Amino acid sequence: MSKDRTKRWESRRVTPWTGLTNQTPLQKFLDSRNTAEYQVRHGEIARMDEAEMLNSYDLTECKHCGSTDFISYGRNRYGVKRYRCKSCGKLFSIVTNTVFDNHKIPISEWMEFMLGVFRFQSFQSIGRSLRITDTTVKYWISKLFLLLSDYQNDIVLRGDVQIDETFYKVIKKDIRKRDETHEYRGLSKNQICIGIGCDASHTLCIIEGYGKPSRKSTAEVFSNHIEHGSNLTHDEEKAHNILVEMLGLSSRTFNAKALKGIKDDDNPLDKINEKCRLLKRFLYAHSGFDRSCLQDYLNLFSFICNPPCDHFEKVEKLLLIALKSPNLLKYRDACWF
């Protein structure tokens, strides 16, 4: 296969026979059906009722300078209202300086993309099902991470709170060895420590560092995210005691090893254990990712676990964040991982 043909094959909108004049009837049928399916998946923005939705939001200030002195200035080619600022003279719309600025793929495709993410599908499988390229998938993931970069900042666990740590190994090239052939064993610097906590409705997960947690790392991760006077249930990790002292928590501890083998319903740590299992499942669905993006994945996992529970309501919440947040991300500035 030629280099040019390889490039065409990588595109999800074409088949190996696209553009050939000597197609067999079967090849012509498969090629035409692929084109029809692609057009259904990637409808034109103007035909997707997107403008009506975007025009329903009122703007109160210029998207460039923040001035409230602006006037209506027609609509763009998709029917979205435009405005001109009298202070800076620039044109803007509801999507200006957001992750949807200059977008060419309908926002409705974001809905399908995010529904797949919320179901723990791998990014590659979502891209294949939506007929979008790998680079577009990575660009969208970068936008998603940007929107959720500060999502966990205001989460405060309260009432009956459980905490624990789970570990995720560094990538192969970063593994440290005690000699030429042997890795460090146990909770070494080769294990990224993730602090995870939950209450009746919310989940928090933040990187603590490498190896075994310390009192300092535990305090840095959890002290601002647990309400004073809450009830803390945890294993016998000594580093957790700093939270009891700092926040005046009532504490119940259990030996994790002694609880192994008992039924989940009888395990007082089952709730936090289940969160750890879900997190591992989520991360394994995206195995091979750049560990420098790990906190971004944890932010996304927290968003998936937390209210609202319905996936469509999660899409609504995320799109509202996108339209209200000044988070412009150009294609060339995206985090390619």
Side-chain angles (χ1 to χ4, degrees):
M1 184 177 289
S2 68
K3 183 178 181 181
D4 179 64
R5 177 62 60 83
T6 300
K7 286 185 178 180
R8 291 198 303 143
W9 178 244
E10 291 174 352
S11 172
R12 303 255 162 83
R13 73 173 67 196
V14 301
T15 70
W17 316 289
T18 301
L20 298 181
T21 57
N22 58 341
Q23 295 177 350
T24 68
L26 177 57
Q27 291 171 349
K28 184 177 181 179
F29 170 78
L30 294 174
D31 187 53
S32 64
R33 293 315 305 158
N34 178 72
T35 300
E37 177 65 20
Y38 185 89
Q39 290 175 344
V40 169
R41 288 284 187 182
H42 301 271
E44 294 180 5
I45 293 175
R47 294 191 288 111
M48 302 299 288
D49 299 327
E50 185 174 308
E52 181 180 357
M53 180 272 292
L54 293 175
N55 291 337
S56 68
Y57 292 95
D58 295 324
L59 291 177
T60 58
E61 61 181 28
C62 173
K63 288 277 192 167
H64 297 287
C65 68
S67 171
T68 58
D69 190 10
F70 60 88
I71 60 173
S72 297
Y73 200 79
R75 304 185 180 217
N76 66 15
R77 58 177 175 153
Y78 301 123
V80 178
K81 293 178 182 178
R82 292 188 306 178
Y83 305 88
R84 185 176 68 82
C85 178
K86 292 184 178 181
S87 297
C88 67
K90 294 181 179 179
L91 297 178
F92 63 95
S93 71
I94 182 65
V95 298
T96 298
N97 287 334
T98 72
V99 294
F100 295 124
D101 199 343
N102 292 320
H103 70 291
K104 296 179 176 59
I105 298 178
I107 292 176
S108 58
E109 293 234 5
W110 262 73
M111 178 184 75
E112 296 297 331
F113 171 74
M114 288 185 288
L115 287 174
V117 172
F118 298 157
R119 295 174 186 133
F120 285 16
Q121 287 181 247
S122 71
F123 297 142
Q124 287 185 335
S125 68
I126 297 172
R128 286 193 295 268
S129 64
L130 294 181
R131 304 288 189 91
I132 53 180
T133 64
D134 291 338
T135 52
T136 298
V137 171
K138 291 177 180 179
Y139 184 35
W140 285 8
I141 292 300
S142 293
K143 290 183 176 184
L144 185 56
F145 286 168
L146 179 61
L147 291 175
L148 296 176
S149 60
D150 58 357
Y151 169 72
Q152 297 193 81
N153 289 358
D154 297 327
I155 293 178
V156 177
L157 307 176
R158 50 179 54 89
D160 293 324
V161 178
Q162 296 190 8
I163 65 171
D164 199 359
E165 289 79 28
T166 190
F167 298 86
Y168 204 71
K169 197 169 185 177
V170 300
I171 58 176
K172 189 174 182 179
K173 71 179 183 64
D174 292 332
I175 291 177
R176 300 184 184 184
K177 297 182 178 180
R178 53 189 173 90
D179 54 44
E180 292 184 359
T181 57
H182 297 89
E183 298 178 17
Y184 288 102
R185 300 176 63 182
L187 300 180
S188 68
K189 294 292 185 180
N190 293 327
Q191 301 287 335
I192 304 173
C193 178
I194 301 169
I196 183 166
C198 64
D199 61 12
S201 58
H202 286 81
T203 298
L204 176 86
C205 41
I206 300 174
I207 295 174
E208 283 200 48
Y210 294 88
K212 190 174 175 60
S214 65
R215 285 170 61 91
K216 179 181 178 182
S217 66
T218 300
E220 288 176 348
V221 167
F222 290 109
S223 61
N224 292 325
H225 295 284
I226 298 178
E227 187 175 69
H228 284 250
S230 296
N231 306 313
L232 183 66
T233 302
H234 56 115
D235 58 20
E236 295 179 341
E237 170 56 57
K238 294 180 180 179
H240 297 167
N241 294 334
I242 185 66
L243 299 174
V244 178
E245 299 165 10
M246 291 177 62
L247 304 176
L249 307 177
S250 60
S251 175
R252 289 197 310 158
T253 62
F254 297 89
N255 186 301
K257 291 183 179 180
L259 295 175
K260 285 186 176 180
I262 71 172
K263 294 181 179 180
D264 292 342
D265 291 343
D266 298 328
N267 190 338
L269 296 177
D270 179 61
K271 188 171 184 178
I272 193 64
N273 290 342
E274 177 62 17
K275 297 297 182 183
C276 291
R277 288 192 290 268
L278 277 176
L279 176 58
K280 288 291 184 70
R281 176 186 158 197
F282 173 73
L283 294 177
Y284 287 148
H286 308 289
S287 59
F289 64 87
D290 187 338
R291 297 301 189 269
S292 66
C293 297
L294 177 57
Q295 187 58 58
D296 294 312
Y297 282 87
L298 299 183
N299 295 337
L300 175 56
F301 176 77
S302 177
F303 182 82
I304 293 172
C305 290
N306 293 340
C309 296
D310 185 88
H311 287 173
F312 287 98
E313 291 180 341
K314 287 185 185 295
V315 172
E316 178 190 31
K317 182 175 181 178
L318 196 54
L319 290 179
L320 287 173
I321 293 174
L323 292 174
K324 294 178 180 179
S325 303
N327 286 315
L328 175 64
L329 180 66
K330 296 182 179 179
Y331 186 84
R332 63 176 178 271
D333 297 328
C335 172
W336 301 116
F337 45 88

